[in-house]
Structures are given as structure tokens and as C-alpha cells.
Amino acid sequence: MTENTAATASILLLEDSVIDAELISEQIDRVEPRPTLTIATGRQAFVDALSNGRYDLVLSDFSLPDFDGMAALDVVVAQAPETPFIFVSGVLGEDAAIDAFRRGATDYVLKQRLNRLPSAVERALAEANERSRRRHAEQQREILVRELSHRVKNNMAVMLSLVRRTARVAKTVEDFERSLSARVTALADGHALLFENNWNETALLDVLTRAAASFDDLEKRIVVEMSPNVRISPRIALSLSMAFHELIANAAKFGALSSQHGRVDVDWTLEPREGDAPLLHFTWVEKGGPAITAPGQGGLGSRLIRSLIEYELEGRAMMDFGRDGLRCVLSFPLTEGLRPQ
């Protein structure tokens, strides 16, 4: 059944009488919007029509020379159980009608009162559409619940990993509390951004901007060069939000952003690959900060970045601790809905 009541409905009519078929067709023409009508005059034509097409409603006579209306109902219930079925007959008695309802019929209209047919058809189509809408909503809810459960488990695993890793390198309880709080906040900020986008694709620039926003006035010293507008999937956005947090935190503590005149230049490029997803290369270049060496930033932050990019995103994190500051290139495939715009 189509989910749009304004769409043209498709009706299959089982009727062997040419005259009755014409009378029924005239009544169907009164339905708004006007449905398309396919007429089958016997068993084989009816079965073939059901096998070769998809119908929003089935109308059937009760008694035919080579077929029985109840048998037609059984075929529809077996092949298309969600399709409404209306008997249009001149011989349907009360007992037969009750039996028909028990076996899955939606309604019945006597041929002596065909003026009832348009309203019966409209009601059956509307009810079927509502059932379809509810069924679709229930399926979406089930999908969301499963996805939420999966994300909660993943987030708990990330949280436990952050706690353990932060505890290993923390020198004091205060240092542990401060570092862990900042990382949990970064994870929460990433989730907040995704919720704002209804867990759809998110702009890479927005992920970087949100990560930088928690560092007070440092955001304006992170300069984004002209780069393609790329939207990324929720899973990758969460990984990048954590990686960006570590880059900014390290720069604020050890690198260019620890100096009053330091800055960071950021850009990203796309590398097309034939037969495979393109690669995104994210470049982070610190300038104007103090001279640094690898041990100065070779702690938890660097290890987290490598883990997030190399294991979560199946990419590569290259870090060059030069005299002029850190140069970091994060490369990963544009998978799971990532796409340039």
C-alpha cells in the first residue's frame, strides 16, 4: 500500500460480467484521486495479475463460473496479506459476509447498492494507508532503538578506554580529573552536534568548530584554508571530534596555541581513487609556537589520535614534531556516507 493517500491507487477487479464490470468502473471513477483499474475475468487472469503487479485494493465478485470469491480472498491473504479486499456481489448473504470477514475481507458492497462503492473504496484505502504508516513508524522506532543500543555500548567502551588511558599518565588526582573531564566533554560535544543534525551527515568544518569552541578564545587562532565542503557520517564525526580535541589540547599545552602569537593553519583535500572511496587528507600545521620535540607530545593525546584514525577510521595519522611546530596529517577513506559537496 502506498504511504501517500494523494497518489493514484491501483485496484484489481475480479468480475466475469462485462456489464457489471462497466457499472463498477463507473463508480470507481468517482473516487478521488481516480484509481487505475485492472479487470480480471477468471481464475488464471486473476492469479497472473497478482503475480505480475502490486495492487492497493482488490474487488471481487462472490460467485464466478470457474472461481470462488472465497478462494480469491484466500489467494490475496496468502500473497498480499496487507492488501484490503472488498466483495462486490449481488448474492452475498449475512452468513457468507461474516465468514468473509473472519477470513480477512475488509468490506462488502451489494451490486444493488453500488453507490456505496466509492466511499467503501476510499475508506479501505485510507485505513490501509494508516496501517502502513504505523507499520513504517514502528519499524523506524525499532531501527532507532537498535542503533541507540549499539551507540550506547560503543560510547561506554570509549569512556572506559578514556578512563584507563588517562589514569595511566595522570600524575595527580587533580590532573586525572581535569584531563578526563575535558575528554568526556569533547565526546559529549560531538554527540550534541550529531543530535542537532538528527544523527545525519555533519559538515567536517562544524565538527572542527565545535571542538575548538570549548577552548575559549583559541578558536580564532585556528585558521581554516579554502577546503571542500565535506559532510561526514556520525561514526566518523565522533572519532574526528575526539581527535580534534586532542590536537587542540596538545597545541594549547605544548605547541603553537600555548604562545600568544602562535596559530594553526588547517585544510583538507580529497584524493580520488578509481574503484574505491576517495581519501580525505586533513592537515594541521602549527606556526609561531615554541620548539617542540616528539617526547613533548608523545603521550596519551598522540596515542589517542593514532588510535582514532588508524583503528576507528582505518586511516593513517602522520605527526612531524619539527622546530616550527607540529605538522599532522590525518588521512582516511571517505566511507559510510561521507561525500564532498
Side-chain angles (χ1 to χ4, degrees), residues 175-198:
D175 183 36
F176 169 76
E177 181 181 1
R178 182 173 56 255
S179 298
L180 180 61
S181 176
R183 290 182 173 116
V184 171
T185 299
L187 183 63
D189 286 344
H191 277 87
L193 179 60
L194 292 175
F195 275 117
E196 291 170 11
N197 288 276
N198 294 319

Side-chain angles (χ1 to χ4, degrees), residues 163-310:
V163 170
R164 294 191 185 103
R165 293 184 180 191
T166 305
R168 289 194 194 108
V169 299
K171 296 179 180 180
T172 65
V173 173
E174 291 76 13
D175 183 36
F176 169 76
E177 181 181 1
R178 182 173 56 255
S179 298
L180 180 61
S181 176
R183 290 182 173 116
V184 171
T185 299
L187 183 63
D189 286 344
H191 277 87
L193 179 60
L194 292 175
F195 275 117
E196 291 170 11
N197 288 276
N198 294 319
W199 285 90
N200 293 319
E201 293 177 345
T202 303
L204 175 59
L205 178 59
D206 289 345
V207 177
L208 176 62
T209 301
R210 182 63 64 93
S214 61
F215 289 86
D216 298 327
D217 62 342
L218 297 184
E219 179 181 359
K220 57 189 174 186
R221 290 199 278 150
I222 301 175
V223 181
V224 179
E225 305 293 335
M226 292 295 295
S227 299
N229 182 17
V230 174
R231 300 187 67 83
I232 56 179
S233 70
R235 183 180 72 86
I236 298 178
L238 285 177
S239 295
L240 288 183
S241 67
M242 294 294 297
F244 293 160
H245 168 80
E246 296 301 327
L247 283 171
I248 300 169
N250 284 346
K253 187 174 183 180
F254 304 108
L257 298 181
S258 67
S259 171
Q260 183 177 359
H261 302 292
R263 58 179 278 182
V264 179
D265 289 342
V266 173
D267 68 6
W268 52 86
T269 59
L270 296 172
E271 177 189 341
R273 297 188 297 173
E274 185 176 355
D276 207 345
L279 290 176
L280 186 141
H281 301 289
F282 176 91
T283 304
W284 170 280
V285 180
E286 299 183 17
K287 298 178 180 180
I292 58 173
T293 59
Q297 286 191 343
L300 175 58
S302 298
R303 294 201 301 272
L304 274 176
I305 292 171
R306 293 187 188 279
S307 176
L308 289 164
I309 301 303
E310 296 177 0

Side-chain angles (χ1 to χ4, degrees), residues 129-141:
N129 181 75
E130 179 62 18
R131 288 193 298 271
S132 177
R133 188 194 64 78
R134 291 180 180 176
R135 191 163 53 251
H136 178 72
E138 290 172 0
Q139 292 170 349
Q140 290 300 111
R141 281 195 295 269

Side-chain angles (χ1 to χ4, degrees), residues 17-76:
S17 168
V18 175
I19 295 176
D20 287 349
E22 290 180 354
L23 293 174
I24 292 171
S25 179
E26 289 177 0
Q27 294 298 324
I28 294 300
D29 288 343
R30 295 169 53 193
V31 175
E32 294 294 340
R34 182 179 177 181
T36 61
L37 184 65
T38 300
I39 301 175
T41 59
R43 175 194 293 268
Q44 193 58 51
F46 181 76
V47 172
D48 290 344
L50 280 179
S51 300
N52 298 326
R54 184 172 180 273
Y55 296 92
D56 300 298
L57 172 66
V58 174
L59 306 177
S60 175
D61 195 1
F62 189 75
S63 179
L64 297 97
D66 69 338
F67 208 12
D68 178 82
M70 288 296 194
L73 173 60
D74 291 340
V75 171
V76 173

Side-chain angles (χ1 to χ4, degrees), residues 84-100:
F85 188 105
I86 298 177
F87 277 111
V88 184
S89 174
V91 297
L92 194 64
E94 183 177 349
D95 292 341
I98 294 173
D99 188 30

